[in-house]
Amino acid sequence: NFGGGVMVTPHGIHVDAEGNVWVTDFAGNAEGTKGHQVHKFSPDGELLMSLGTAGQPGSGPNQFNQPNDVITAPDGSIFVADGHGGQSMLTPNNPTVTEGATGRIMKFSAEGTFIKEWGKKGTAPGELDGAHGLAFDSRGRLFVADRGNRRIQIFDQDGGFIDAWT
């Protein structure tokens, strides 16, 4: 048991090649001091790194708005699926996006430096509606569970769209 007092709503979890445990914390607390972050813990539960601005949702390069999942590539790059609250908001009854909603993949260096992001709310190839889960295949392609659009999208590690499976 670890992470008590650090997170509001743990959501996605990933164990990297060194046994470190990565956890997304997709909700914020009422005080605006916790949540909307990604945390890296050692195998013993020591907090090693936190990405995002604690308790402050947003769409900037150092902010998350309800991150869903995290995964690390063999080179240590960190990928985060961001935008739980923006999921399934585009419907015939609600054709616009709520301000601040995100639908993106964010990439960071192994040290936690922001590199880039791709995707936006939408239904076209490369657009996302609730990027909810992440996985790599043996060729290093990033598979994204695009939950609101009911599909899997496949990208290269620089955000290039490869394919979508419905």
Side-chain angles (χ1 to χ4, degrees):
N1 180 330
F2 58 86
V6 175
M7 296 175 279
V8 179
T9 308
H11 192 272
I13 189 168
H14 165 70
V15 178
D16 68 21
E18 288 79 42
N20 297 305
V21 180
W22 294 80
V23 182
T24 61
D25 186 7
F26 90 90
N29 64 357
E31 296 80 21
T33 59
K34 294 180 190 174
H36 301 286
Q37 288 189 287
V38 174
H39 301 288
K40 176 185 179 182
F41 296 92
S42 73
D44 297 324
E46 176 188 355
L47 181 61
L48 301 175
M49 177 191 305
S50 295
L51 302 173
T53 306
Q56 302 299 310
S59 58
N62 294 308
Q63 293 178 298
F64 299 112
N65 192 347
Q66 298 185 334
N68 285 312
D69 203 9
V70 59
I71 194 168
T72 55
D75 71 355
S77 297
I78 306 158
F79 295 82
V80 178
D82 189 41
H84 189 281
Q87 177 179 303
S88 300
M89 297 175 82
L90 298 175
T91 67
N93 294 329
N94 184 20
T96 61
V97 176
T98 300
E99 185 176 344
T102 56
R104 61 185 176 167
I105 304 299
M106 298 180 70
K107 181 178 181 179
F108 299 84
S109 72
E111 297 76 32
T113 303
F114 175 78
I115 296 173
K116 69 184 313 178
E117 70 176 72
W118 68 84
K120 65 178 184 174
K121 285 282 302 161
T123 59
E127 294 178 351
L128 300 161
D129 187 20
H132 210 82
L134 302 173
F136 284 112
D137 70 1
S138 61
R139 296 190 290 183
R141 299 179 303 172
L142 180 64
F143 286 62
V144 177
D146 185 5
R147 185 170 152 179
N149 286 322
R150 298 184 179 108
R151 64 185 176 192
I152 302 293
Q153 293 203 65
I154 307 167
F155 299 92
D156 65 30
Q157 292 186 29
D158 288 318
F161 175 80
I162 296 172
D163 199 2
W165 299 345
T166 57

